[in-house]
Amino acid sequence: RDQGRARPSYSCPSNTIYSAVVGETMAELVAAVPSLLAADQADQHYADAVRTAVAACAEDTAGQTCYICYGEGDEDEGLVRGCSCRGENGFAHVSCLAEQAKILVAEAEENNLDIKAKTERFRRWDTCSLCEQRYHGVVSCALGWACWKTYVGRPERDQLRRPAMGVLGNGLAEAEHHEDALSVEEAKLAMERRVGASAYSILGAQSNLATTYDKLGQHDQALRMRLGVYSERLKLSGEEHRETLLAANNCAFSLGVLERFEEAKSLMRKMMPVARRVLGESHELTLMMRLNYARSIYKDCGATLDDLREAVTTLEDTERIARRVLGGA
């Protein structure tokens, strides 16, 4: 698999001049905001998403209370739990989770906290404050709509409006609403370019868009975008930066999907030693790169017996390290 979606963070204005990262077109730059994101539709989308999340969590949340307001689920709004909390922890109303995030972010703005502190508070829109794991599935989608409806009325250049769109895009993807996620992510990328966002923000938006292309079976588009992201990461940060290594791994994944195994193997042979040196043998990304490399070997119809032995050895070493670091099932 690829290495997941870039997380939205507090946006900073940028005067950075950057090249056209991948496939920038005039149509993208002037793209109208899709009807899905219309301000007058946000409340209804939120209400629908909450109902879906509550229904999906109903069996798990029966008889529980919200850890924020201590109320139970009722006919007005039931409870959800979409994180990694266990036992009696983590149950909440979506509205309470949203209000908690809204208050924390508002306090950060009022007190003019630094970007790091603001970003940590903004994380409450997509991350549980108890287990510190990201929300998933339909709960993530409901919180995405909650976040978007909170900030949709702000100006396009506002520091919260764009990351709110990112939270929504990720939430839609988590709920497997990939067509809607595509619409949101394309609009976000166009807006990032329109307002002169930093190259790093644009690369994050493109990485998410490539993941959605993959989910929709548009693998050629995903690869083109990922190759461009990797090229720009090399220019901006060098080959030893974690984001460059991540981009390389995502490229190898896309190359493998398209059965361009020689290119995938070549890229991994170049970047795996860098990952081991910079991140270490036991880092998750290093392990994923080794898996991608082995997959590119054994899925190749032209693989020799020696090639297959190399793939088996690579997989056995990767499993051994993963069990030692992550634990076995």
Side-chain angles (χ1 to χ4, degrees):
R1 63 180 175 88
D2 68 10
Q3 282 288 296
R5 309 178 70 80
R7 300 183 69 178
S9 59
Y10 217 91
S11 298
C12 300
S14 173
N15 295 318
T16 304
I17 302 299
Y18 53 87
S19 61
V21 182
V22 181
E24 182 175 339
T25 67
M26 185 59 65
E28 284 179 320
L29 291 174
V30 300
V33 175
S35 59
L36 182 70
L37 295 175
D40 61 358
Q41 299 295 314
D43 285 339
Q44 186 60 55
H45 285 309
Y46 165 73
D48 292 342
V50 170
R51 279 193 295 271
T52 299
V54 168
C57 297
E59 184 176 348
D60 186 37
T61 59
Q64 301 295 332
T65 57
C66 175
Y67 78 88
I68 298 174
C69 74
Y70 302 108
E72 297 180 354
D74 54 34
E75 60 183 19
D76 291 326
E77 184 183 352
L79 301 176
V80 300
R81 182 167 70 173
C83 55
S84 295
C85 285
R86 294 293 181 266
E88 297 183 354
N89 297 321
F91 299 103
H93 300 101
V94 173
S95 59
C96 289
L97 293 171
E99 188 64 18
Q100 180 188 66
K102 182 179 177 180
I103 290 171
L104 287 171
V105 172
E107 288 176 348
E109 288 190 298
E110 290 168 6
N111 295 319
N112 198 28
L113 301 184
D114 61 28
I115 289 297
K116 181 179 179 180
K118 287 178 177 177
T119 298
E120 284 302 312
R121 288 176 174 236
F122 190 79
R123 287 280 180 263
R124 293 285 74 84
W125 283 110
D126 64 13
T127 303
C128 175
S129 62
L130 301 178
C131 67
E132 289 299 330
Q133 298 300 306
R134 293 176 72 172
Y135 295 109
H136 54 78
V138 291
V139 174
S140 175
C141 185
L143 282 167
W145 280 115
C147 184
W148 177 243
K149 85 182 190 73
T150 299
Y151 304 114
V152 63
R154 295 196 176 197
E156 190 173 71
R157 293 180 178 273
D158 182 82
Q159 289 183 325
L160 287 169
R161 194 175 192 272
R162 281 177 285 143
M165 193 181 291
V167 172
L168 175 57
N170 286 351
L172 289 166
E174 271 291 318
E176 300 187 1
H177 300 320
H178 298 302
E179 291 285 356
D180 286 342
L182 179 66
S183 179
V184 171
E185 288 161 1
E186 287 178 337
K188 184 176 187 293
L189 177 57
M191 184 168 64
E192 295 277 20
R193 286 170 167 161
R194 202 160 52 238
V195 303
S198 72
Y200 300 101
S201 294
I202 289 175
L203 290 169
Q206 289 180 312
S207 295
N208 285 351
L209 191 52
T211 298
T212 299
Y213 284 147
D214 255 337
K215 294 293 185 180
L216 292 170
Q218 300 174 26
H219 303 305
D220 287 309
Q221 287 177 274
L223 176 59
R224 282 196 297 272
M225 189 156 282
R226 284 176 170 153
L227 288 172
V229 169
Y230 173 53
S231 175
E232 289 298 317
R233 289 287 185 191
L234 280 171
K235 294 175 188 175
L236 289 168
S237 306
E239 70 174 11
E240 295 189 349
H241 195 281
R242 181 187 179 281
E243 293 297 329
T244 305
L245 294 168
L246 180 62
N249 186 59
N250 287 342
C251 282
F253 173 83
S254 281
L255 287 165
V257 169
L258 292 169
E259 299 185 0
R260 292 165 60 171
F261 299 121
E262 288 301 323
E263 294 168 82
K265 286 185 286 186
S266 177
L267 180 57
M268 288 295 91
R269 286 185 185 124
K270 175 185 176 183
M271 299 305 291
M272 282 192 303
V274 180
R276 286 196 293 268
R277 184 174 70 250
V278 175
L279 303 175
E281 288 278 2
S282 60
H283 193 279
E284 181 184 6
L285 180 51
T286 306
L287 296 175
M288 289 303 303
M289 294 175 84
R290 289 169 65 99
L291 285 175
N292 264 337
Y293 177 63
R295 187 181 295 115
S296 297
I297 296 174
Y298 72 71
K299 286 196 171 185
D300 188 347
C301 294
T304 65
L305 186 57
D306 285 341
D307 291 334
L308 294 175
R309 288 194 183 104
E310 182 184 6
V312 170
T313 299
T314 300
L315 289 171
E316 288 176 342
D317 288 346
T318 302
E319 181 186 24
R320 175 179 51 79
I321 295 169
R323 286 185 179 277
R324 174 171 54 82
V325 176
L326 305 175

